[in-house]
Amino acid sequence: MTSQRTQVGGGRNLFGDFAPKLAELTDDVLFADVWNRPELSARDRSLITVAVLTAGGNTDQLTFHLDHAVKNGVTQIELIEAITHVTLYAGWPRGMAAMGVAKQYFSKNE
């Protein structure tokens, strides 16, 4: 496995004063531990995360993870293809909602 940038969470910035335990778990377990495990690259983890968020209809977190995926080397074309692929398994409304978020994200970041 090649070297990759360290994955860092933003839980403490978002919720540290309101929900400190959730912030701690987000930063110290999810990002510092799981996202940085060498068994999968951050790029692969990003693709998986976008797919799971799409499949679950969880578009609130999708903009963050699209940006995170791009920073981890996933291209716009690959993200569009991943969402398209998941749509056929997870359902049209979820896929269309996720693609709408992706379109908005990439339109703002061109």
Side-chain angles (χ1 to χ4, degrees):
M1 183 80 37
T2 60
S3 179
Q4 63 185 10
R5 76 182 181 94
T6 301
Q7 305 298 296
V8 178
R12 285 183 177 89
N13 290 339
L14 288 172
F15 299 118
D17 58 342
F18 183 73
K21 188 61 178 181
L22 179 60
E24 175 190 339
L25 292 169
T26 299
D27 291 350
D28 299 346
V29 177
L30 178 59
F31 281 94
D33 181 16
V34 174
W35 270 89
N36 289 297
R37 292 171 49 86
E39 291 80 7
L40 286 174
S41 69
R43 182 185 189 288
D44 291 347
R45 289 182 193 280
S46 283
L47 271 172
I48 291 165
T49 301
V50 168
V52 170
L53 289 172
T54 298
N58 300 304
T59 56
D60 288 347
Q61 296 289 314
L62 198 51
T63 300
F64 171 84
H65 281 287
L66 289 168
D67 188 61
H68 203 67
V70 169
K71 290 175 181 169
N72 285 329
V74 185
T75 68
Q76 177 178 339
I77 292 169
E78 290 170 321
L79 288 164
I80 291 169
E81 188 62 26
I83 293 169
T84 300
H85 185 80
V86 169
T87 298
L88 298 171
Y89 289 91
W92 222 261
R94 290 176 178 183
M96 293 297 282
M99 198 63 79
V101 172
K103 182 179 180 184
Q104 184 175 25
Y105 168 78
F106 286 112
S107 294
K108 287 182 180 177
N109 293 291
E110 289 184 322

